[in-house]
Amino acid sequence: MNHDIRVVAFDLDDTLIRLDPTFVPEYVRLLDETLRAALALSEPLSGHFLEVTNQMMAKMRDEESLQDFFFRQFSERASLTRNQIEGPLTAFYEEIFPRLRSLARPVYGAMGMLSQLKAAGYQVALLTSALFPKAAIDERLRWAGLEGFPFDWRTAFEVVHATKPQPGYYEEAADALGVPPQAWLMVGNDLVEDIIPARSAGMAAYWVRDQKPTAEEEATLPPGTPWGPVEAVLSHLGLA
């Protein structure tokens, strides 16, 4: 065990689960279609969702939860109340979102890797994008074959006050577990959303990547950041 690291945190999408490139546009299409039907609206809502998503990603950590921020901003743009939106949105994630499973596939060996980390004494956290509610994260964990794994902490937009790529998102996770950022290793595939802000927050990082970085990527990669396939995290920590 690497005694400098106490918590190993993982991104979800394209780190512990592989998503088809069509996943996001199909997700947005289904969400727009479902909410417009439920609310009897003729005008598309997708533009409002994308605007608010960008605002959520830009939001600094403060006293307002990301969930409350989303409903406040979206309600203003769509001229709807939170009560009008919340029910159909909950129904979407429970009934429609699972249809997207065909656009995802699990990462071989992910459960074994996480279990080996726990057995070695590490705490394991899930730091996926908090743009999604808990129901959507639970569903994607089922697709990944990880629904039974006992994460020590998980993000969701109901419980956090910032999301990627804000360093405050990573600082909030560290505060929630009571472990300083310097004792965390963040494992993720996105240089801009996972690696750079985690390092800015004081965490170590491991960049999930199967191919050699481009010259442009190497120029922005924080010095000393290792990279490689996700399963090689075990070797990086001296467990394989």
Side-chain angles (χ1 to χ4, degrees):
M1 179 174 178
N2 183 328
H3 294 286
D4 294 329
I5 299 297
R6 293 164 53 192
V7 182
V8 183
F10 287 86
D11 173 48
L12 180 56
D13 298 337
D14 291 319
T15 297
L16 296 177
I17 189 173
R18 302 294 185 200
L19 296 181
D20 189 90
T22 62
F23 175 84
V24 171
E26 184 63 8
Y27 160 63
V28 173
R29 185 190 70 79
L30 283 175
L31 181 59
D32 179 76
E33 181 181 279
T34 302
L35 290 190
R36 284 197 294 122
L39 298 168
L41 300 175
S42 58
E43 294 297 317
L45 296 171
S46 54
H48 299 313
F49 274 111
L50 294 175
E51 289 173 5
V52 175
T53 293
N54 289 333
Q55 286 197 308
M56 291 167 76
M57 293 175 70
K59 178 183 180 293
M60 306 287 283
R61 182 185 178 190
D62 57 22
E63 295 301 314
E64 186 176 26
S65 74
L66 210 59
Q67 180 185 48
D68 289 342
F69 180 85
F70 165 79
F71 280 114
R72 180 169 62 82
Q73 294 291 336
F74 188 80
S75 296
E76 290 176 3
R77 279 163 178 71
S79 299
L80 297 165
T81 67
R82 177 168 178 165
N83 286 340
Q84 285 178 292
I85 304 164
E86 204 158 13
L89 195 64
T90 298
F92 168 79
Y93 283 112
E94 291 177 351
E95 301 167 14
I96 307 299
F97 188 77
R99 296 180 190 173
L100 295 167
R101 183 171 192 156
S102 63
L103 301 178
R105 57 187 175 86
V107 170
Y108 177 77
M111 178 64 89
M113 175 182 63
L114 299 183
S115 298
Q116 189 170 345
L117 288 167
K118 290 282 279 189
Y122 291 101
Q123 294 184 74
V124 179
L126 183 69
L127 299 191
T128 186
S129 173
L131 297 172
F132 290 96
K134 182 178 181 296
I137 297 171
D138 288 343
E139 183 64 28
R140 299 202 318 286
L141 285 172
R142 279 190 284 273
W143 301 346
L146 299 173
E147 66 272 24
F149 186 79
F151 289 100
D152 292 283
W153 199 72
R154 291 174 42 184
T155 55
F157 90 155
E158 294 94 336
V159 299
V160 299
H161 300 79
T163 190
K164 301 176 182 181
Q166 298 301 322
Y169 167 82
Y170 295 93
E171 293 163 358
E172 184 169 15
D175 290 344
L177 266 186
V179 178
Q182 293 75 18
W184 286 62
L185 175 68
M186 176 62 199
V187 181
N189 71 296
D190 195 301
L191 183 58
V192 173
E193 295 193 4
D194 297 323
I195 306 307
I196 293 174
R199 289 291 302 269
S200 295
M203 295 181 179
Y206 179 94
W207 187 22
V208 175
R209 185 173 177 86
D210 295 327
Q211 297 179 338
K212 180 177 172 58
T214 65
E216 182 180 357
E217 289 168 334
E218 286 187 331
T220 57
L221 184 65
T225 302
W227 59 271
V230 66
E231 63 271 15
V233 169
L234 296 176
S235 298
H236 175 66
L237 293 170
L239 297 178

